[in-house]
Amino acid sequence: MAIKQMMMDDVDGTPIPEDAGGTVSFGFRGVSYEIDLTAENEEKLAAALAPFIDNAREVDHSQSAETPQAELDPAVLEVAERLVALDKERAVVLQQQAAENLAAGKKPYDTTDARRWLIERGIEFNQMGPLAKEFRTLYEEHYGLPSYDLAPKHPKR
């Protein structure tokens, strides 16, 4: 025995015959909605919205939802690529220095450089006293450096 499912009107709960009503989609304030309505309630909704729809503009949703990317000046792209390359070169130098410093029993890097890096990026931090671990970690992760905390507590002079 087959069981037949029937749609119910979401407003008044009455059954919706197959040929008289169905799902209605609409949008309001940037949100899309769907509601199941009998033909009678669909007409009521249409009548209620008619004065607004008559004065509204239709939106074409067939285009991509992505915002087109602005064209960048090739010279700007070239400078940006060079800055990224320099930053990578800097990382290699800092990593080598850190390895040498740790091998000599010293801290992997001077926090003065980390402070300068933070300032260049507009990151606010307390500039008095020791540099907080969270800021050292940002610097270490950016350049792939070992943790400042791995070094001996009393570096060799």
Side-chain angles (χ1 to χ4, degrees), residues 10 14 24 40 44-45 47 57-58 70 73 80 83 85 87 98 112 121 127 131 135 140-141 146:
D10 290 331
T14 59
V24 176
E40 181 182 344
K44 287 180 185 178
L45 177 63
R57 293 174 300 284
E58 226 176 280
D73 182 338
L83 288 173
D87 201 44
T112 304
R121 279 149 186 81
Q127 295 186 22
L131 185 60
F135 299 111
E140 292 163 0
E141 288 178 356

Side-chain angles (χ1 to χ4, degrees), residues 41-51:
N41 279 339
E42 189 175 334
E43 287 303 317
K44 287 180 185 178
L45 177 63
L49 292 175

Side-chain angles (χ1 to χ4, degrees), residues 24-105:
V24 176
S25 300
F26 62 98
F28 183 65
R29 293 186 176 163
V31 179
S32 296
Y33 298 92
E34 283 188 347
I35 189 168
D36 298 331
L37 298 173
T38 60
E40 181 182 344
N41 279 339
E42 189 175 334
E43 287 303 317
K44 287 180 185 178
L45 177 63
L49 292 175
F52 302 100
I53 292 172
D54 290 344
N55 292 291
R57 293 174 300 284
E58 226 176 280
V59 177
D60 180 9
H61 291 286
S62 64
Q63 295 179 357
S64 170
E66 292 181 24
T67 306
Q69 295 294 319
E71 289 293 320
L72 292 177
D73 182 338
V76 171
L77 285 175
E78 186 177 328
V79 169
E81 289 170 357
R82 184 65 188 135
L83 288 173
V84 168
L86 286 171
D87 201 44
K88 287 180 181 176
E89 290 172 15
R90 175 100 176 111
V92 169
V93 170
L94 288 172
Q95 290 166 5
Q96 290 171 344
Q97 288 174 348
E100 291 169 7
N101 288 343
L102 285 173

